[in-house]
Amino acid sequence: MKEKHEIRLWSVLFWLIVWQLISMRLDSEILLVSPFRVLGRLGQLMLTAAFWKAVLFTLSRIAAGFFLAAVAGVLLAAAASRFVRFRELLTPLMLAVRSVPVASFIILALIWFSSQNLSVFISFLMVLPIIYTSVLDGIRNVDRALLEMAQVFRIPGFRVMRYIYLPQVMPFFYSACSVALGMSWKAGAAAEVIGIPKGSIGERLQQAKVYLDTPDLFAWTLVIVAASLFFEKLVLFLARRIAKRCNAMPIKH
């Protein structure tokens, strides 16, 4: 399954030039800072211990929310595929989670618990319905002829799972991950900007906004983009490795 986007160097350079030209035309660092100024500020931030602590804080919490949602989504999808009433029970819940604006969940979550783990909860909520729906579709599209053959030859349940379900469901899981990864970072970063947990990237973004520190705002935004891409590549690499070990349908990269 081919990824939806490919980043080309020439296109990146094109938009950097456009950015630089607009910045020079406006001639106001508050309105739009130049890419060279942003990179310079990013280099300064990277020399501080507080920078890496903030990156680790945000990365660990968004990653925790994503992986918890991935596990929960797979388990709930497996149960829903087996029990019709359970699937009917979850349907309105998943629809509500997908439909309600993320800002509403963030504000509600701030009433329930501390902002320190807010991004874990929000990332979990955004990822869960995507994983659940895709994995459930994958399970329901498993080749019934293979399942009937396994039943006739009394193949153990573990082998049925290993050689029939996993290879055919894995492409659906991979596709869900490729969509959910970006959403987890967008939602998690938004949660931190609103909740302002101490020591997070969201706190730094909020401070940059308050003090009209545009170089810091762009530098921290660039950090979020880079961390998101790194996390996405890592998770999709692991998913491809698992698919390969399970003899799944080819997943291109």
Side-chain angles (χ1 to χ4, degrees), residues 187-250:
E192 288 189 348
V193 170
I194 296 175
I196 319 178
K198 186 175 178 59
S200 67
I201 293 179
E203 181 189 32
R204 299 304 183 91
L205 285 170
Q206 186 62 243
Q207 289 175 352
K209 185 202 78 170
V210 170
Y211 295 108
L212 297 178
D213 192 346
T214 310
D216 266 34
L217 178 62
F218 274 80
W220 283 109
T221 301
L222 187 60
V223 170
I224 292 176
V225 173
S228 174
L229 287 174
F230 166 77
F231 185 62
E232 178 181 346
K233 296 297 182 184
L234 177 62
V235 172
L236 294 182
F237 169 77
L238 294 175
R240 286 193 297 268
R241 295 287 294 180
I242 295 172
K244 185 177 180 180
R245 294 181 69 88
C246 295
N247 297 318
M249 294 167 61

Side-chain angles (χ1 to χ4, degrees), residues 41-166:
R41 181 54 183 155
L42 179 59
Q44 294 174 349
L45 290 171
M46 292 177 67
L47 296 176
T48 65
F51 170 85
W52 295 106
K53 288 181 180 178
V55 172
L56 182 61
F57 181 98
T58 298
L59 177 61
S60 62
R61 280 158 175 75
I62 293 179
F66 176 85
F67 286 120
L68 287 172
V71 173
V74 170
L75 294 177
L76 289 175
S81 67
R82 185 173 180 83
F83 305 106
V84 177
R85 297 303 179 191
F86 185 68
R87 182 170 70 247
E88 292 173 349
L89 182 66
L90 288 182
T91 299
L93 177 62
M94 294 298 171
L95 180 61
V97 173
R98 298 185 70 161
S99 303
V100 174
V102 64
S104 299
F105 281 122
I106 294 172
I107 295 171
L108 185 60
L110 284 172
I111 300 174
W112 292 344
F113 46 75
S114 168
S115 64
Q116 290 299 108
N117 294 313
L118 178 63
S119 54
V120 178
F121 177 69
I122 296 302
S123 297
F124 176 87
L125 279 184
M126 294 302 103
V127 173
L128 179 62
I130 299 174
I131 300 293
Y132 168 81
T133 302
S134 294
V135 173
L136 181 59
D137 287 342
I139 294 173
R140 297 174 72 178
N141 280 281
V142 170
D143 192 336
R144 298 301 163 186
L146 290 177
L147 294 177
E148 291 175 1
M149 180 191 70
Q151 187 175 12
V152 169
F153 289 97
R154 297 183 179 181
I155 298 175
F158 173 77
R159 290 182 175 272
V160 173
M161 180 67 67
R162 170 69 174 78
Y163 294 105
I164 297 179
Y165 277 104
L166 280 180

Side-chain angles (χ1 to χ4, degrees), residues 14-70:
F14 173 82
W15 290 112
L16 285 176
I17 292 172
V18 172
W19 178 3
Q20 176 65 26
L21 292 175
I22 296 175
S23 175
M24 292 170 62
R25 180 68 178 84
L26 294 175
D27 194 24
S28 173
E29 195 170 85
I30 293 179
L31 292 178
L32 184 63
V33 65
S34 73
F36 297 103
R37 179 74 176 90
V38 173
L39 292 175
R41 181 54 183 155
L42 179 59
Q44 294 174 349
L45 290 171
M46 292 177 67
L47 296 176
T48 65
F51 170 85
W52 295 106
K53 288 181 180 178
V55 172
L56 182 61
F57 181 98
T58 298
L59 177 61
S60 62
R61 280 158 175 75
I62 293 179
F66 176 85
F67 286 120
L68 287 172

